[in-house]
Amino acid sequence: MRVLHTADWHLGQHFLTGQERLTEQKAFLNWLLATVQAEGVEALVLAGDVFDTTTPSHAAQELYYDFLVRMQGTGCRDIVVVGGNHDSPTLLNASRRLLRALRIHVIGGVPAEADEQIVALGAAGGPASLVVCAVPFLRDRDLRLAVAGETPDARQLRIRDSIAGHYLKLSEHDLVRRLREQDVPVLATGHLYAAGGEAREGAERDVHIGGLGVIGAEHFPAAFDYVALGHLHRPQVVGGQARIRYSGSPVPLSFTEADDKQQVLLLDFKGAGEPTITALPVPVTRRLQRFHGELDEVEAAIIAFDNEAFDLVAWADVLVKSDEAPAEVQRRVQAALKERRAAVLAPRGVRHQRLTDAPDVVAEAAAPIEHLHELTVEEVFRRRVAGLPPERATALTATFQELRQLLAEADPQAWSGEKS
């Protein structure tokens, strides 16, 4: 069976200018549709973070549902979608029963019955060709984390054990065991941070209180022939095991991801056992470019910048190191940007760092200028409790997380849960 693994679409993401990136995301989905058809993909697995916020715009939702409808003409028999930490389980599950009629299996959050996370895929009326343990992002309440008086270290161990136990329980389910004994491969999904993975500051936030690296490759049962992960935006293998992978985000979501190679993963299963894995590079329509250096270097690099290979105007992060007056730095760089405006724009403006400043001043000047509207609610809260004793901060953060999730699911329209 041929399966395609993708994750972290973040449809409707707002970049630094506050504009949604739907043009780039639509281009990716058009490419994905053509690729699924050309490669004869039989099942598509989307491992979380369909949307960028729990309350995506109507345009972002339309893009998602339009893609699902158009997939019906590609020959792909099944689609499996699990929720990520950015997604609203309520929103994803709202259309679940309707989409099931189209062989689109949506698991927005952990269901009441474990059986609902196990999906057997195959030709209509025929035997199963693949069994999927469709595990979404495991929220704190799914793991029953609140224990009075517990130390941070003990809590982190219990988080790890709870997540590992969730996967173990699914791997030992009667249907999973029976099908694997019949040479049917087993694929599990996950949206989490696995120990050893490379996370980007500001791009992939903590998804569990008390630390990220709580799950290692050894915590995924051997019964899983492949583990399709989401959350980390750079494609990578976990713990040196080729069967446990992050596909990465198909569109670069920040300047820290500018040099990543966007891809999706094609999996060829020949019965039970690890599949043959092929990385398919995703065309990038908008380049994220950094211009960092001294004034003459930055000015020359902007003038010489070649964007001919890309469909959309590039977005640039510009940091100038110079002892020139700020007004002169701005004048020269803005003149270069104006000359090349058909090729490159600097949505966050031009940052200036003096060469002769003290190290602490240099570091402060080099840091991106932050605005409240660019921060998530979670990031603001974390900074507010940063000076508290660790145990107090952990307890308050756990309570905050639970309230945030309850509010988002009770009234998604009133609580975005993402932007301040």
Side-chain angles (χ1 to χ4, degrees):
M1 188 172 187
R2 176 162 279 192
V3 181
L4 191 144
H5 166 204
T6 181
D8 295 286
W9 291 359
H10 289 268
L11 299 180
Q13 186 215 24
H14 287 75
F15 204 63
L16 299 172
T17 55
Q19 296 176 338
E20 287 186 313
R21 304 181 67 187
L22 295 176
T23 301
E24 299 156 80
Q25 292 166 339
K26 184 175 183 179
F28 159 66
L29 293 179
N30 287 339
W31 173 86
L32 184 59
L33 283 160
T35 299
V36 165
Q37 188 163 22
E39 297 290 345
V41 172
E42 298 165 87
L44 174 71
V45 174
L46 172 50
D49 281 354
V50 180
F51 298 108
D52 193 55
T53 73
T54 56
T55 55
S57 67
H58 292 301
Q61 293 183 57
E62 183 178 5
L63 190 59
Y64 168 63
Y65 287 113
D66 178 68
F67 170 80
L68 295 180
V69 170
R70 294 168 65 196
M71 277 287 290
Q72 303 307 301
T74 62
C76 181
R77 290 197 304 260
D78 292 278
I79 302 173
V80 178
V81 179
V82 301
N85 62 302
H86 280 247
D87 295 314
S88 162
T90 303
L91 185 144
L92 284 182
N93 285 340
S95 56
R96 182 181 178 187
R97 293 182 63 185
L98 177 63
L99 293 176
R100 191 180 300 158
L102 300 176
R103 296 180 66 105
I104 301 170
H105 315 276
V106 179
I107 309 293
V110 176
E113 300 296 331
D115 292 7
E116 296 181 42
Q117 293 175 83
I118 299 172
V119 184
L121 308 181
S129 302
L130 177 72
V131 59
V132 178
C133 295
V135 181
F137 169 59
L138 299 174
R139 287 170 163 76
D140 291 358
R141 68 175 183 276
D142 300 323
L143 303 172
R144 298 182 176 87
L145 299 182
V147 173
E150 189 174 39
T151 67
D153 287 345
R155 190 163 185 263
Q156 182 168 333
L157 288 174
R158 194 157 49 77
I159 293 171
R160 183 200 67 189
D161 292 343
S162 296
I163 296 174
H166 189 93
Y167 281 100
L168 181 61
K169 182 178 179 180
L170 291 177
S171 72
E172 294 178 342
H173 189 279
D174 289 343
L175 178 60
V176 174
R177 295 174 70 173
R178 185 170 70 253
L179 288 176
R180 199 166 192 277
E181 288 172 358
Q182 297 171 9
D183 200 36
V184 176
V186 180
L187 180 150
T189 67
H191 194 90
L192 45 77
Y193 184 108
E198 179 185 331
R200 292 329 193 324
E201 179 67 27
E204 298 136 355
R205 303 190 304 276
D206 292 16
V207 292
H208 290 295
I209 309 305
L212 290 174
V214 295
I215 289 295
E218 68 276 11
H219 295 113
F220 293 104
F224 298 148
D225 299 302
Y226 184 84
V227 181
L229 295 177
H231 181 57
L232 299 188
H233 297 167
R234 185 180 69 82
Q236 52 195 292
V237 171
V238 175
Q241 296 195 33
R243 70 183 180 100
I244 307 173
R245 294 194 180 216
Y246 289 95
S247 63
S249 57
V251 172
L253 299 171
S254 71
F255 286 112
T256 62
E257 300 172 28
D259 297 326
D260 290 349
K261 302 300 182 184
Q262 279 63 45
Q263 65 177 39
V264 297
L265 296 169
L266 196 63
L267 318 173
D268 284 299
F269 290 95
K270 306 292 185 184
E274 292 187 26
T276 300
I277 304 168
T278 305
L280 302 179
V282 176
V284 176
T285 54
R286 187 190 304 280
R287 190 174 179 184
L288 301 183
Q289 179 68 30
R290 283 174 161 166
F291 295 106
H292 291 188
E294 297 190 21
L295 180 56
D296 289 343
E297 297 171 338
V298 169
E299 186 179 41
I302 293 172
I303 296 296
F305 182 69
D306 182 5
N307 196 51
E308 291 297 323
F310 298 85
D311 295 336
L312 301 176
V313 174
W315 284 341
D317 173 45
V318 183
L319 172 62
V320 178
K321 303 173 184 179
S322 173
D323 286 332
E324 292 274 2
E328 177 64 11
V329 171
Q330 291 290 332
R331 184 192 68 77
R332 287 177 57 180
V333 175
Q334 292 295 349
L337 288 168
K338 183 176 181 180
E339 181 177 335
R340 300 291 294 141
R341 62 183 177 274
V344 60
L345 299 172
R348 72 195 310 175
V350 177
R351 294 180 292 143
H352 180 201
Q353 172 185 315
R354 297 189 65 84
L355 289 171
T356 55
D357 281 335
D360 57 338
V361 177
V362 171
E364 182 178 351
I369 298 173
E370 290 185 315
H371 301 283
L372 185 60
H373 72 273
E374 294 176 349
L375 299 175
T376 66
V377 172
E378 191 173 39
E379 286 165 347
V380 173
F381 185 88
R382 187 166 60 233
R383 295 183 189 190
R384 291 292 296 170
V385 301
L388 297 176
E391 292 187 9
R392 177 65 173 161
T394 297
L396 286 173
T397 306
T399 301
F400 167 75
Q401 287 280 45
E402 292 171 7
L403 288 172
R404 174 176 176 259
Q405 291 161 10
L406 289 171
L407 286 170
E409 293 172 21
D411 189 358
Q413 296 304 318
W415 174 263
S416 67
E418 292 298 331
K419 298 298 180 184
S420 298

